[in-house]
C-alpha cells in the first residue's frame, strides 16, 4: 500500500512579501529551507482578530503549519520566531531589509531558492544587530549572485578570461565583471571602475564576513559601491528593483546637512 | 479590457453565456476588492430581483461618484468640494495633523470621535515590491502644506498601518518632517480589544508591554 502524502506539514519560513487576495485573505510569499520560494494563502488575515496577521509581515522569521491545497497551500498556524524589531525602527536598516527581500523575490521563482534561506536569515540577523551595513548588504548581493549562478567576475576579464590582478580595470555591467585593457575596445558600454571600489568588492566576494566587516567605508565609497551593485543586480534580474532606488535616496538624504529643506 | 472580455464566472454550465448581461454584472461585481465569485453572483441576483428604480439608483450613484468626487487640494482626501468639509471646519484644532494611508482611514479615525485635528491622505504607502515609491504618494503635497503653514502645525501624527510598508513610510516621513523642526508622533500599538494574549505576535506584545500605562 502506498503511503499517502501528508496533508499538513510544518516548516520554518521567512516572509518575503504579501499581496491582496479574495475577501479577507492574502497571498503570502515565503521562503522555506526545503521548498524555497512559494506562495501560500492566509485566510481571514485582514480580520481584526486574525491569529495570523502579526506573524506574516514581510521580513518575519516564523514557524508555520500549512495544509496542502489544490493550487496553493493554506497557512493554518503561524508563530513568529523573530520580527527583527531593531531593523523595523531604523529607516536605513528597514529600507535595506525591504531591498534584500525584493532581491530574493526577483531572483527566484516558485519552488527554487531553498539554498538562499540560510544566507537570508543570517543577513536579517546581522541587519538587526546593526553590523557594518555595507558589508552586510553587498556581501548578501554577491552571495545571492553566486548561488543563482551569476557570480560577477572580479579577477578575470569577462571577455578574454585572462587574470587581472591589478585594481586598474574597466567595468562592464552587462558582462557582469571587469574588462582588461586589451579588451576594452571590444566590449561595449564599459566604464572605469575606481580601484578602491574593485578592491572592496573583491574583499566582500572572497573574504569571510568577519574580516570584510572590519573594512571602513566612507560615504563616497559606499555610494560608488551601491551604484555598481544596484546596476548589476538590475541587469541580471532583467527588471527594475524599485527598493534599490529608495535605498539610494535614503542614503543620500542621510548625508544632507541638518535642517536643509528637502524638495 | 471590458467586463465582458473576462472568462465566464458562472462556468461552462452557465446558461446565460459569457457575454450575457447577468454574466457581465457578475464579472463587474467580482472586480471589486473583497468580492469573490459567489458573493458576486449573490449581488448580481439581488440586483436582478430588485425593482428597476433601485438598479437605476445604484447606476446613478456609481456614475455620480466618478464624475463629482475630487481630491481636496489641502488634505488630498476624496471630497465633493475643495477645501473639503473637514479642512473648512474652523472648530477643528489647527495645530494637529494626522497623516493616513487611505481615505477610509479618515472615516475610521473620525468614527472614534477622539481626534479633532486635520488630516492628510497619502493614497498608499511606500511598497517597492508593488512598484510604489515615495514619488507616487502625496508626500510632496504634505511637505508643501507643512512649509506654507508657517509653523501652524505643532505635531504631525503618522497613522500609517503597523505593517512593514507602513513603518517604512512612517520612518521616511519622520526623517523629512524633522527637517522642518516639527514634532512627529506615531500611533501607539498594542492588543486589540477581545484578542488573546496567547496568540499575540511578539512584536505587538512587546510594544504593548513597552507602552503599558498605570491604572
Amino acid at each position: 500500500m502506498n503511503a499517502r502524502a501528508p496533508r499538513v506539514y510544518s516548516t520554518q519560513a521567512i516572509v518575503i512579501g504579501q499581496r491582496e487576495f479574495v475577501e479577507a485573505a492574502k497571498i503570502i510569499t515565503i521562503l522555506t529551507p526545503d521548498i524555497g520560494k512559494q506562495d501560500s494563502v492566509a485566510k481571514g488575515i485582514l480580520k481584526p482578530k486574525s491569529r495570523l496577521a502579526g506573524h506574516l509581515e514581510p521580513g518575519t522569521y516564523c514557524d508555520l503549519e500549512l495544509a496542502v491545497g489544490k493550487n496553493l497551500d493554506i497557512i493554518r498556524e503561524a508563530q513568529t520566531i523573530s520580527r527583527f524589531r531593531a531593523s523595523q525602527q531604523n529607516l536605513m536598516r528597514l529600507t535595506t531589509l525591504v531591498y534584500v527581500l525584493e532581491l530574493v523575490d526577483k531572483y527566484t521563482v516558485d519552488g527554487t531558492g531553498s539554498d538562499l534561506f540560510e544566507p537570508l536569515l543570517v543577513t536579517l540577523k546581522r541587519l538587526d544587530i546593526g553590523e557594518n551595513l555595507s558589508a552586510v548588504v553587498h556581501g548578501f548581493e554577491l552571495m545571492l549572485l553566486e548561488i543563482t549562478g551569476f557570480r560577477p567576475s572580479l579577477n578575470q576579464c569577462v571577455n578574454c578570461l585572462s587574470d587581472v590582478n591589478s585594481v586598474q580595470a574597466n567595468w562592464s555591467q552587462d558582462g557582469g565583471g571587469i574588462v582588461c585593457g586589451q579588451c576594452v575596445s571590444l566590449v561595449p558600454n564599459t566604464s572605469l571602475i575606481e580601484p578602491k571600489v574593485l578592491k572592496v568588492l573583491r574583499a566582500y566576494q572572497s573574504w569571510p564576513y568577519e574580516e570584510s566587516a572590519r573594512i571602513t567605508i566612507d560615504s563616497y565609497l559606499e555610494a560608488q559601491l551601491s551604484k555598481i551593485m544596484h546596476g548589476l543586480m538590475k541587469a541580471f534580474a532583467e527588471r527594475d528593483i524599485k527598493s534599490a532606488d529608495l535605498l539610494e535616496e535614503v542614503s543620500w538624504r542621510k548625508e544632507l546637512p541638518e535642517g536643509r529643506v528637502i524638495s | 479590457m471590458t467586463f465582458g472580455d473576462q472568462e465566464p464566472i458562472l462556468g461552462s454550465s452557465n446558461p446565460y453565456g459569457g457575454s450575457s448581461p447577468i454574466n457581465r454584472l457578475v464579472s463587474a461585481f467580482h472586480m471589486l476588492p473583497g468580492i469573490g465569485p459567489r458573493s458576486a453572483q449573490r449581488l448580481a441576483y439581488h440586483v436582478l430581483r430588485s425593482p428597476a428604480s433601485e438598479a437605476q439608483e445604484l447606476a446613478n450613484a456609481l456614475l455620480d461618484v466618478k464624475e463629482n468626487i475630487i481630491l481636496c487640494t489641502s488634505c488630498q482626501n476624496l471630497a465633493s468640494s475643495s477645501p473639503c468639509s473637514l479642512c473648512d471646519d474652523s472648530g477643528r484644532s489647527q495645530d494637529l495633523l494626522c497623516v493616513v494611508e487611505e481615505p477610509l482611514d479618515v472615516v475610521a479615525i473620525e468614527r472614534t470621535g477622539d481626534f479633532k485635528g486635520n488630516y492628510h491622505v497619502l493614497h498608499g504607502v511606500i511598497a517597492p515590491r508593488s512598484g510604489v515609491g515615495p514619488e507616487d504618494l502625496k508626500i510632496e503635497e504634505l511637505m508643501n502644506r507643512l512649509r506654507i503653514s508657517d509653523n501652524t502645525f505643532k505635531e504631525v501624527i503618522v497613522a500609517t498601518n503597523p505593517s512593514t510598508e507602513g513603518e517604512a513610510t512612517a520612518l521616511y516621513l519622520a526623517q523629512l518632517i524633522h527637517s522642518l523642526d516639527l514634532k512627529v508622533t506615531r500611533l501607539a500599538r498594542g492588543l486589540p480589544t477581545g484578542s488573546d494574549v496567547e496568540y499575540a505576535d511578539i512584536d505587538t506584545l512587546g510594544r504593548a508591554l513597552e507602552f503599558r500605562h498605570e491604572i
Side-chain angles (χ1 to χ4, degrees):
Chain A
M1 191 175 77
N2 288 338
R4 291 178 101 187
R7 304 285 305 155
V8 176
Y9 62 97
S10 299
T11 182
Q12 290 196 342
I14 297 169
V15 180
I16 303 296
Q18 46 174 242
R19 58 183 191 273
E20 304 269 317
F21 194 40
V22 291
E23 308 198 347
K26 274 186 174 184
I27 291 180
I28 311 291
T29 307
I30 53 174
L31 187 76
T32 70
D34 299 321
I35 300 168
K37 188 170 94 167
Q38 73 174 95
D39 281 344
S40 311
V41 179
K43 290 182 176 176
I45 193 171
L46 290 175
K47 292 179 181 169
K49 285 190 185 176
S50 165
R51 289 172 177 178
L52 296 175
H55 302 281
L56 295 174
E57 275 301 311
T60 307
Y61 171 40
C62 52
D63 270 324
L64 298 180
E65 187 180 281
L66 296 104
V68 177
K70 198 173 170 188
N71 296 314
L72 297 174
D73 293 351
I74 317 286
I75 300 174
R76 285 165 38 124
E77 280 182 34
Q79 182 66 52
T80 304
I81 300 171
S82 176
R83 180 82 203 284
F84 306 108
R85 206 167 146 192
S87 299
Q88 305 279 339
Q89 293 168 345
N90 176 294
L91 180 59
M92 193 65 203
R93 280 195 257 167
L94 183 54
T95 313
T96 308
L97 180 145
V98 171
Y99 170 64
V100 164
L101 294 179
E102 191 181 355
L103 284 183
V104 172
D105 191 34
K106 295 270 163 76
Y107 273 82
T108 52
V109 291
D110 278 7
T112 67
S114 57
D115 40 4
L116 284 172
F117 182 84
E118 269 308 312
L120 177 62
L121 182 58
V122 169
T123 300
L124 295 182
K125 285 178 179 171
R126 285 175 182 158
L127 262 181
D128 200 47
I129 298 167
E131 291 187 14
N132 183 333
L133 208 57
S134 174
V136 172
V137 70
H138 299 312
F140 179 77
E141 289 167 334
L142 289 164
M143 192 181 292
L144 174 73
L145 291 175
E146 180 138 7
I147 291 172
T148 51
F150 295 106
R151 180 186 163 95
S153 180
L154 302 177
N155 295 293
Q156 280 185 329
C157 171
V158 293
N159 193 48
C160 67
L161 304 180
S162 62
D163 288 341
V164 181
N165 296 319
S166 154
V167 286
Q168 304 292 336
N170 291 277
W171 179 254
S172 167
Q173 186 174 288
D174 299 333
I178 55 170
V179 179
C180 67
Q182 279 79 34
C183 295
V184 71
S185 57
L186 304 171
V187 180
N189 302 326
T190 58
S191 56
L192 273 174
I193 181 169
E194 288 199 31
K196 257 188 170 179
V197 173
L198 182 56
K199 215 171 161 181
V200 173
L201 284 178
R202 281 175 175 167
Y204 285 165
Q205 190 180 54
S206 54
W207 292 5
Y209 170 78
E210 289 69 23
E211 277 182 51
S212 56
R214 282 203 289 268
I215 302 172
T216 311
I217 308 286
D218 62 29
S219 55
Y220 174 75
L221 184 55
E222 176 50 32
Q224 297 301 309
L225 284 166
S226 294
K227 195 177 157 195
I228 289 272
M229 287 310 298
H230 291 169
L232 199 59
M233 301 313 286
K234 287 178 188 178
F236 282 143
E238 292 181 336
R239 46 194 160 160
D240 193 20
I241 295 173
K242 193 96 178 172
S243 50
D245 303 336
L246 181 64
L247 192 56
E248 278 173 29
E249 190 191 332
V250 169
S251 318
W252 167 80
R253 184 163 282 126
K254 211 177 75 173
E255 299 304 321
L256 286 177
E258 214 169 304
R260 179 168 158 184
V261 175
I262 316 289
S263 58
Chain B
M1 188 179 77
T2 61
F3 300 144
D5 295 337
Q6 287 195 327
E7 283 289 304
I9 283 184
L10 300 179
S12 54
S13 59
N14 168 22
Y16 310 107
S19 58
S20 80
I22 296 180
N23 217 39
R24 279 182 61 206
L25 186 59
V26 172
S27 300
F29 279 128
H30 185 42
M31 288 178 76
L32 298 174
I35 303 289
R38 283 182 196 280
S39 302
Q41 280 183 33
R42 274 196 292 273
L43 290 170
Y45 278 89
H46 174 80
V47 171
L48 204 61
R49 282 193 294 266
S50 309
S53 59
E54 267 187 38
Q56 187 66 51
E57 180 60 28
L58 178 66
N60 287 343
L62 286 171
L63 290 173
D64 194 34
V65 85
K66 287 305 287 179
E67 284 165 9
N68 297 322
I69 294 298
I70 54 168
L71 287 187
C72 169
T73 50
S74 179
C75 68
Q76 307 298 319
N77 196 5
L78 299 173
S80 50
S81 62
S82 183
C84 67
S85 57
L86 287 170
C87 291
D88 218 17
D89 184 353
S90 56
R92 301 187 77 93
S93 165
Q94 297 301 312
D95 54 3
L96 270 179
L97 184 69
C98 183
V99 181
V100 296
E101 284 181 23
E102 301 290 351
L104 278 176
D105 299 333
V106 174
V107 178
I109 294 175
E110 278 300 289
R111 218 183 293 136
T112 66
D114 290 332
F115 181 71
K116 296 292 175 202
N118 285 274
Y119 292 96
H120 188 92
V121 184
L122 294 174
H123 292 275
V125 275
I126 299 170
R129 196 169 178 259
S130 313
V132 182
E135 67 282 359
D136 302 312
L137 307 176
K138 302 289 183 189
I139 292 178
E140 203 178 322
E141 288 82 353
L142 170 68
M143 296 309 291
N144 286 338
R145 190 177 173 192
L146 292 173
R147 270 185 221 118
I148 59 173
S149 72
D150 201 22
N151 285 338
T152 313
F153 294 114
K154 302 292 178 220
E155 180 181 345
V156 179
I157 304 167
V158 183
T160 51
N161 288 337
S163 59
T164 304
E165 285 102 353
E167 288 298 333
T169 308
L171 290 169
Y172 182 87
L173 288 178
Q175 198 183 54
L176 288 180
I177 299 167
H178 278 144
S179 68
L180 302 178
D181 263 346
L182 287 172
K183 181 179 173 185
V184 185
T185 55
R186 185 93 175 94
L187 286 187
R189 284 166 70 172
L191 298 167
T193 306
S195 65
D196 273 320
V197 171
E198 182 190 352
Y199 292 106
D201 63 283
I202 51 175
D203 191 35
T204 304
L205 200 51
R207 284 175 195 251
L209 282 169
E210 192 178 342
F211 300 108
R212 68 189 184 278
H213 60 87
E214 199 175 329
I215 49 172

